[in-house]
Amino acid sequence: MFDQAFVLTRGGPGKASYTLVYHIYQQAFIDFRFGSSAAGAVILFVAILLLTLIQFYAQKRWVHYEE
């Protein structure tokens, strides 16, 4: 979720709608800290990849009813 927080509040008030993707954007394009924003993007990618692999593994155990 990036576009809603960016367009509506820009992360405010007091970082109430500050998301990880918005943090990566702000580090890269506002603060010009490309290394730490790239590291954050890689960490986010690995986290999403792990959740996806867990979901694929757990999907094999779901019950499928046939009509």
Side-chain angles (χ1 to χ4, degrees):
M1 183 183 130
F2 168 76
D3 53 348
Q4 292 93 352
F6 181 73
V7 170
L8 295 174
T9 64
R10 301 226 192 274
K15 294 188 178 183
S17 60
Y18 197 76
T19 62
L20 179 60
V21 178
Y22 185 71
H23 178 72
I24 291 169
Y25 166 79
Q26 189 170 16
Q27 278 191 338
F29 299 112
I30 305 298
D31 299 336
F32 298 110
R33 297 186 335 180
F34 296 108
S36 60
S37 67
V42 169
I43 290 171
L44 179 63
F45 172 75
V46 169
I48 292 173
L49 179 67
L50 288 175
L51 288 174
T52 303
L53 292 175
I54 290 169
Q55 185 71 24
F56 280 149
Y57 177 73
Q59 185 178 4
K60 294 177 184 176
R61 297 181 179 205
W62 290 350
V63 177
H64 298 283
Y65 297 104
E66 296 185 26
E67 295 180 21

